[in-house]
Amino acid sequence: MKAHFMKYLLTILLFLLMSAQGLAQRGTVTGVVVDKETGEELIGANVFIRSISQGAATDISGRYNLRLEPGVYTLEFSFITFQKQIVEDVEVEAGKVLQLDIVLVPDNEALDEVIISARRLDNNEASLLRLQQKSLPVQDGISSEEMSRAGFSNSAESMRQVTGASVEGGKFIVMRGLGDRYSISSMDGVVLPTTNPYRNSAGLDLIPSSTVDNIVVKKTFSPDLPGNFSGGAVDVTTKSLPDRLYFKLSSTVSYNDQTTFNNNFMGDPIKNSLSRLGYDDGSRARESLWSDSDYLKKLNNYIIQIQNNMLSPSEIESFNSTMRSFSNRAFTVSNETPGLNHSLNVMVGNRYALGSGNLGFNLGVNYSKSFVQYDEREINNFTARIPEEGASRMQAFQLNSGSESSDQVDSGLMGAVTYQPGSNHEFTYTSIYNNSASESVLDMRDGYYPGALSSGTYNNRVISFVQRELFNNQLKGRHHFDGFDVKWSANYIESSQYEPDTRFIGAPVDNSGQYFFVREVPLPFHFFRDLDDTQYNLKLDGETNISRWFKLKTGAFYTRKDRDFNEFRYQLENNGTDPDFDGFISFREASGNYEGYFSPENTGVIGNDGNGNNLLGITYRDQTRPQNSYTGFEQVSAFYLMGIFDFTDNFKAFAGARVEKTDFNVQSSAVNAQKGEIDVTDVLPSLNVIYSLNEKTNIRLSASQTLARPNIRELAPFASFDLLGGFPIVGNPEITRTNVTNLDFRYEIFPKSTELVAISAFYKDFKNPIVMELDVASDQPQYQYINTNSGRLFGVELEFRKGLGFISSRFDNFKFSTNFTYINSRVDLSDNELETRRRLDPSIKAFRSFPSQSPYIVNFMLNYENQETGWDGNIYANVFGPRLTANGAGAAPDIFEMYGKLDGNGQLQSERPVPDLNIKVRKTFVNGLSAALSVSNILDFSIIQYQEDNGEYFINSALNPGRTVSLSFTYDLN
């Protein structure tokens, strides 16, 4: 699971590309055959071309595939007890794929066969029927065709077009305004793990859109889905069996007006041969003795023994080597000039006839390198005093201003092999490897720290490298027997997060410009953290038709994740230093010259006092906290049973229940530390009713119970040190899961195959919701995860997709889509927090909105596509209302986040959010070549976190990502 693994798979990819010679000049006709009444795929339906006596049968997905010489054909589609359908004028072009989805009508209607011209066939009708008739829960989604048309590069970007969806940090999906705790992300039906211990759902930015067949979001619960979601269950379906040989290569270069060629960019001076690939070759690793527990136990005594000349020369040499291992990675930064952001994505796949079956593969590689520079970075913390009438409650705790630089590398490999031995069986093995590494420098200058310092300024610098890896292996199968269907999957997943030598220094500066250390501010730290997760998933689903109107579905699920997390801290120690020794440079004398102060000559044994006693310079102590290392596991076992009832052609219902047993256990390394445990069994019922007013109109009603679980990090008593000077975050072994009751209504109309009008309403009631509360009653204010009493949420969604040809024929190539979500939520404050806050301000409300919840979300897209000229483009906009990001301290207002604008004085211009507006134009040339130009963040918003008090805004954080102009080139052999 390291760099050599990437090189190995890359070699395979290059071999396959070189061996793909002599591409056939035949064309491909493919599609899905479905039952008009049920919307289900028909397995084993016959497709025959009488003129050449060639045919095929649909596979377990209802899909057929024909490789034909260029020409015009007539295709016959037939299936027992169904009317035959004859499609004339099917034109096959060399090297092209023609998609023909077919709807077969049961033979209880009048005609024996239907003849239609391919030129009049609506190829999206079958897909529409599957969405309209077969979808049991309320769902939305986006197809690979829409992703390609819009130019989305990864799955997270693609989700922005889904109703009720917003994206946090460019990767984490938030549905219906709820935080990621209430949404789950899965791939091919299996929940994706996250290597970020502070997140409950996985980021989707590392799944390239070119590997995706479609993304579906289930918004209501059915028993065959995991029970731990309330906002939405996002499932990314990857490509399985290709229709034909394809090859796609795309490359993008981007210019950002805040970052590219910016001479203020700061980098970590530690470089190695693997940095460009996103790996550390050990240059940041701990020196061996820092991981020797016996040595660390002796270290404190060594200080006294060295000063009294009681150690041998070899022991002193070993001591100096250990102390000076940090000298070459001190707190200096390198000045760099970032070039253009760039990325490369390659996908190749093919299918082969193998006996009476088919064998296919998909293989892909993606790589991207990007830079981020914030020249005017602000990070501020405010607390509150007892309010006075007409006066602000706010007082500064810490104010920081400066800059931040980040160098991000993302890479991944995906390989999948699918084998269909016949129409009734399919086996797929998929292996996905992703690596993401971020090298960051945060340099806050001219700050103030009134919460700890009475005067002077405060400088703060953090240098970090974070690498996350994911290696996901899945074997799955689908089987169709006489009257019985089975699906199964098994996953083995390894994921890790590696943070070697994160460096923190807080440096107060007095009024004369001299740097100094004070006990109120921690001395410089070196942090080392590593997280390793191992996860196993097993999933089994079975479905059978009991009668014409009743179908039974059942299944089981098991998952277990084991985690090992360790944190090590090593802190500067300067108490034994003689500041009058001529060979020693004090911190004041260095006056910000970090390279000189932390040099090897200033570290360890630096001389003697003339009486035979050794003199020490700066040293380091092991300040590792055992409670900050922990092990734990999450284990969930589930079984479900549900019935699907087709009472009439227009009335369908499904009902059932899922039983989930939750078994969590987290143990800190500290002696006698409290365990975090959850051992509970939940029964999660679900009832859904679907009434079709006609073939194009549905009414859906749903009632269900779901839950939300804390993650291992939230159960662990780990107290994370905030490197930005904010309040630490502490886990809570006593929190438990949240129970949620859900009610949903949806009215949907499909005027045409590409058009949709829908209105939805939803209500959710939460028992024991998990929130992060700021405890200001303790000596050190800190955030902690707690269960509060209750919460509730209700909202409305509107969605509209419409072709604009009805205005005029000049608009035939335009398509407009928009969606709007309004959400009203409240979660009760805990009794302790309410009592504390009302002691300071009796007028404070007893509730707040849910964390990360926006009061509204609006998406807008206008598409243009002209296949004759090869031009297409789109304008995309997203806007969301201010969302709660952190709780205020004491009586201070809560902190909200939005995209907005700051004026010349650094103040918020308006409470109205600024839309995220993007545009893309693409030209497709002959032979599969295309070029695209896109501009993002056209309105140049800043990401602002703020508090409002008595009409005045206080900025907690502000950063401007800048505008980005991207140029993409694609070669698509399809």
Side-chain angles (χ1 to χ4, degrees):
M1 205 177 72
K2 299 298 180 185
H4 66 274
F5 177 78
M6 287 189 64
K7 294 177 181 177
Y8 174 72
L9 284 185
L10 186 57
T11 301
I12 297 176
L13 173 62
L14 294 174
F15 171 77
L16 288 170
L17 290 177
M18 289 186 294
S19 63
Q21 302 295 325
L23 303 180
Q25 293 305 305
R26 291 181 294 172
T28 301
V29 182
T30 186
V32 179
V33 181
V34 299
D35 180 343
K36 180 181 179 181
E37 287 191 350
T38 66
E40 296 181 353
E41 300 96 343
L42 295 177
I43 302 171
N46 295 312
V47 186
F48 188 67
I49 304 175
R50 194 172 301 278
S51 61
I52 59 174
S53 298
Q54 182 177 338
T58 56
D59 61 17
I60 196 168
S61 301
R63 179 170 289 275
Y64 68 94
N65 185 278
L66 292 168
R67 300 292 300 279
L68 302 171
E69 298 293 336
V72 179
Y73 299 89
T74 297
L75 276 60
E76 298 179 2
F77 296 85
S78 62
F79 192 65
I80 188 171
T81 73
F82 282 78
Q83 296 174 15
K84 180 187 296 184
Q85 185 164 136
I86 300 174
V87 182
E88 300 177 334
D89 304 322
V90 178
E91 185 174 357
V92 178
E93 298 181 60
K96 298 293 183 67
V97 177
L98 177 63
Q99 179 86 15
L100 288 179
D101 292 339
I102 301 298
V103 179
L104 292 184
V105 180
D107 61 6
N108 54 5
E109 298 189 17
L111 301 176
D112 292 330
E113 64 181 36
V114 177
I115 301 175
I116 190 170
S117 171
R119 294 185 177 89
R120 294 186 290 110
L121 185 62
D122 187 345
N123 294 328
N124 292 311
E125 184 178 3
S127 298
L128 170 61
L129 286 172
R130 289 199 304 278
L131 174 65
Q132 180 178 326
Q133 303 288 345
K134 191 176 180 181
S135 169
L136 298 178
V138 172
Q139 72 176 40
D140 285 301
I142 184 169
S143 67
S144 58
E145 181 184 5
E146 290 176 289
M147 287 184 240
S148 176
R149 184 187 304 120
F152 296 131
S153 61
N154 61 61
S155 299
E157 283 186 359
S158 304
M159 283 297 299
R160 291 174 173 172
Q161 184 60 14
V162 176
T163 305
S166 58
V167 181
E168 283 188 354
K171 61 181 69 176
F172 300 105
I173 307 304
V174 174
M175 293 302 304
R176 288 181 164 175
L178 287 166
D180 75 327
R181 179 185 308 282
Y182 300 99
S183 300
I184 57 174
S185 302
S186 62
M187 187 174 67
D188 297 324
V190 176
V191 177
L192 288 168
T194 174
T195 55
N196 188 330
Y198 298 94
R199 288 287 183 170
N200 291 276
S201 65
L204 296 180
D205 58 316
L206 290 182
I207 304 178
S209 57
S210 57
T211 68
V212 176
D213 191 42
N214 60 66
I215 302 176
V216 173
V217 182
K218 303 293 179 64
K219 295 183 176 179
T220 59
F221 171 68
S222 61
D224 55 342
L225 296 173
N228 58 320
F229 82 91
S230 302
V234 181
D235 186 42
V236 180
T237 303
T238 57
K239 298 180 185 295
S240 55
L241 192 64
D243 294 316
R244 49 152 288 173
L245 173 66
Y246 73 91
F247 171 71
K248 184 174 184 178
L249 184 150
S250 60
S251 179
T252 302
V253 291
S254 302
Y255 171 85
N256 181 276
D257 62 5
Q258 296 288 326
T259 302
T260 308
F261 309 132
N262 188 328
N263 294 327
N264 296 325
F265 191 89
M266 300 169 294
D268 187 342
I270 301 177
K271 303 295 181 183
N272 61 77
S273 58
L274 299 177
S275 292
R276 189 165 184 83
L277 295 176
Y279 297 89
D280 179 70
D281 64 354
S283 301
R284 297 177 175 88
R286 290 183 296 162
E287 201 267 353
S288 59
L289 284 178
W290 282 117
S291 58
D292 187 331
S293 58
D294 291 334
Y295 177 82
L296 294 177
K297 290 177 183 178
K298 301 175 184 177
L299 190 58
N300 289 341
N301 290 329
Y302 275 7
I303 303 294
I304 299 173
Q305 292 172 345
I306 287 174
Q307 289 173 323
N308 291 285
N309 202 19
M310 298 171 62
L311 294 183
S312 67
S314 63
E315 288 175 317
I316 292 177
E317 183 180 353
S318 176
F319 174 81
N320 280 343
S321 174
T322 304
M323 295 299 108
R324 293 170 181 173
S325 64
F326 293 127
S327 297
N328 65 341
R329 54 173 82 165
F331 298 90
T332 58
V333 296
S334 60
N335 292 322
E336 303 174 7
T337 303
L340 297 171
N341 298 339
H342 51 275
S343 67
L344 177 70
N345 178 257
V346 181
M347 283 293 298
V348 62
N350 200 1
R351 73 153 60 203
Y352 306 92
L354 189 63
S356 59
N358 293 286
L359 177 70
F361 77 90
N362 295 281
L363 190 61
V365 59
N366 63 281
Y367 172 85
S368 67
K369 185 174 180 65
S370 58
F371 305 92
V372 175
Q373 174 69 23
Y374 304 116
D375 282 334
E376 297 179 0
R377 184 76 160 97
E378 283 193 49
I379 302 174
N380 305 314
N381 291 303
F382 297 94
T383 56
R385 57 181 173 77
I386 298 175
E388 300 174 4
E389 186 175 352
S392 172
R393 295 172 290 184
M394 308 296 289
Q395 59 185 11
F397 182 81
Q398 184 174 347
L399 305 176
N400 303 279
S401 61
S403 61
E404 182 177 5
S405 306
S406 180
D407 182 346
Q408 177 88 21
V409 176
D410 296 312
S411 58
L413 290 165
M414 188 278 284
V417 177
T418 298
Y419 175 56
Q420 291 180 345
S423 297
N424 296 333
H425 303 280
E426 180 180 275
F427 301 88
T428 300
Y429 171 73
T430 303
S431 182
I432 295 178
Y433 173 79
N434 280 318
N435 181 74
S436 174
S438 177
E439 179 185 294
S440 302
V441 176
L442 178 69
D443 192 31
M444 309 305 286
R445 301 174 299 276
D446 300 325
Y448 296 92
Y449 200 172
L453 304 175
S454 58
S455 63
T457 60
Y458 176 70
N459 294 352
N460 181 329
R461 178 176 287 177
V462 181
I463 306 172
S464 67
F465 175 86
V466 180
Q467 179 190 353
R468 296 187 176 100
E469 285 186 288
L470 173 68
F471 189 33
N472 185 355
N473 295 273
Q474 182 186 63
L475 181 64
K476 64 179 181 179
R478 300 175 60 187
H479 310 277
H480 174 70
F481 304 99
D482 187 15
F484 191 69
D485 294 301
V486 175
K487 295 180 181 179
W488 59 268
S489 65
N491 283 68
Y492 172 72
I493 304 167
E494 292 182 358
S495 56
S496 65
Q497 178 172 283
Y498 177 52
E499 298 180 66
D501 202 5
T502 295
R503 285 149 276 166
F504 162 82
I505 183 170
V509 182
D510 63 21
N511 293 330
S512 64
Q514 295 293 307
Y515 286 62
F516 62 98
F517 289 137
V518 291
R519 63 181 180 83
E520 290 84 1
V521 178
L523 291 172
F525 270 111
H526 290 258
F527 289 85
F528 294 80
R529 297 183 180 125
D530 57 80
L531 176 151
D532 291 289
D533 284 347
T534 303
Q535 186 170 344
Y536 306 87
N537 296 325
L538 296 172
K539 189 171 183 284
L540 177 66
D541 297 281
E543 184 177 312
T544 184
N545 291 316
I546 303 299
S547 67
R548 184 190 64 80
W549 58 273
F550 176 59
K551 182 184 297 181
L552 185 67
K553 190 172 183 180
T554 186
F557 173 75
Y558 172 81
T559 182
R560 180 184 174 100
K561 177 166 69 177
D562 292 278
R563 172 172 294 176
D564 186 7
F565 177 84
N566 296 285
E567 180 190 79
F568 306 94
R569 301 184 181 190
Y570 307 105
Q571 189 173 23
L572 178 74
E573 176 65 58
N574 66 352
N575 288 336
T577 302
D578 182 358
D580 297 325
F581 180 65
D582 290 340
F584 178 74
I585 303 174
S586 70
F587 193 65
R588 278 187 178 271
E589 290 173 330
S591 191
N593 178 9
Y594 293 158
E595 187 173 7
Y597 179 71
F598 293 101
S599 67
E601 295 76 17
N602 224 37
T603 305
V605 178
I606 58 174
N608 61 73
D609 61 1
N611 297 319
N613 297 318
N614 293 313
L615 292 178
L616 284 174
I618 62 174
T619 59
Y620 295 88
R621 296 288 182 93
D622 177 22
Q623 296 290 348
T624 298
R625 304 178 62 185
Q627 61 267 38
N628 281 6
S629 294
Y630 61 89
T631 58
F633 68 82
E634 300 176 352
Q635 182 173 289
V636 177
S637 305
F639 169 80
Y640 74 89
L641 184 68
M642 59 184 290
I644 304 170
F645 305 88
D646 288 307
F647 296 115
T648 69
D649 291 342
N650 298 329
F651 183 43
K652 176 186 287 188
F654 68 94
R658 185 180 183 93
V659 180
E660 288 199 349
K661 186 179 188 305
T662 302
D663 185 8
F664 284 15
N665 188 293
V666 183
Q667 177 64 59
S668 169
S669 298
V671 178
N672 299 324
Q674 182 181 357
K675 284 185 179 180
E677 294 182 287
I678 300 178
D679 187 359
V680 65
T681 300
D682 291 284
V683 179
L684 307 174
S686 173
L687 172 64
N688 287 257
V689 176
I690 307 167
Y691 182 74
S692 300
L693 298 177
N694 51 56
E695 288 189 355
K696 297 183 178 182
T697 307
N698 289 332
I699 295 176
R700 297 175 179 269
L701 297 171
S702 173
S704 64
Q705 287 188 343
T706 56
L707 53 85
R709 300 183 181 94
N711 60 38
I712 294 178
R713 161 66 183 97
E714 294 166 343
L715 283 168
F718 169 40
S720 61
F721 182 84
D722 194 314
L723 300 173
L724 304 181
F727 305 125
I729 301 174
V730 182
N732 182 2
E734 297 184 353
I735 57 175
T736 187
R737 51 89 175 92
T738 302
N739 294 103
V740 188
T741 300
N742 309 278
L743 299 174
D744 286 83
F745 165 83
R746 181 178 174 101
Y747 179 79
E748 56 190 16
I749 306 172
F750 301 89
K752 294 182 179 179
S753 59
T754 59
E755 298 180 353
L756 169 65
V757 180
I759 180 170
S760 304
F762 51 91
Y763 173 83
K764 300 179 185 296
D765 182 79
F766 299 81
K767 182 181 179 182
N768 299 320
I770 302 169
V771 297
M772 191 166 64
E773 177 185 277
L774 181 59
D775 177 14
V776 295
S778 60
D779 294 336
Q780 169 63 53
Q782 60 187 22
Y783 284 104
Q784 186 175 41
Y785 300 98
I786 66 163
N787 291 107
T788 189
N789 298 326
S790 62
R792 63 107 178 100
L793 177 149
F794 69 86
V796 177
E797 290 178 338
L798 301 173
E799 183 173 7
F800 182 76
R801 301 184 189 181
K802 179 70 175 177
L804 300 184
F806 71 95
I807 299 176
S808 167
S809 60
R810 291 177 294 179
F811 294 95
D812 285 344
N813 297 322
F814 288 89
K815 177 183 175 183
F816 168 76
S817 63
T818 185
N819 55 73
F820 168 77
T821 306
Y822 166 79
I823 312 106
N824 181 288
S825 74
R826 59 177 288 170
V827 58
D828 294 338
L829 275 63
S830 69
D831 295 337
N832 289 337
E833 184 184 8
L834 182 59
E835 180 182 354
T836 300
R837 290 170 70 87
R838 282 194 168 168
R839 214 182 300 137
L840 298 173
D841 184 358
S843 65
I844 282 182
K845 296 179 180 179
F847 61 89
R848 59 167 57 95
S849 59
F850 270 88
S852 300
Q853 180 264 313
S854 299
Y856 59 86
I857 303 169
V858 182
N859 291 306
F860 166 91
M861 180 174 284
L862 178 65
N863 294 102
Y864 172 82
E865 183 178 17
N866 190 322
Q867 295 183 354
E868 294 180 359
T869 63
W871 283 100
D872 64 81
N874 68 81
I875 299 174
Y876 165 76
N878 165 266
V879 62
F880 62 87
R883 56 195 179 199
L884 177 68
T885 187
N887 302 346
D894 292 332
I895 301 170
F896 288 85
E897 179 182 86
M898 73 172 186
Y899 294 169
K901 291 269 193 178
L902 298 178
D903 60 24
N905 297 318
Q907 299 300 309
L908 191 65
Q909 285 186 359
S910 171
E911 209 175 357
R912 292 190 299 273
V914 175
D916 178 10
L917 180 63
N918 309 275
I919 187 170
K920 181 170 185 175
V921 178
R922 179 174 57 179
K923 169 64 176 176
T924 300
F925 305 95
V926 295
N927 300 323
L929 292 173
S930 64
L933 179 68
S934 61
V935 184
S936 61
N937 190 15
I938 294 174
L939 300 180
D940 196 28
F941 63 76
S942 293
I943 304 172
I944 301 170
Q945 294 181 359
Y946 67 93
Q947 293 169 279
E948 185 272 330
D949 184 53
N950 286 335
E952 186 177 358
Y953 296 97
F954 297 81
I955 305 302
N956 298 89
S957 173
L959 52 91
N960 185 342
R963 299 183 180 94
T964 300
V965 180
S966 301
L967 182 61
S968 303
F969 298 93
T970 301
Y971 174 67
D972 191 353
L973 176 66
N974 198 344

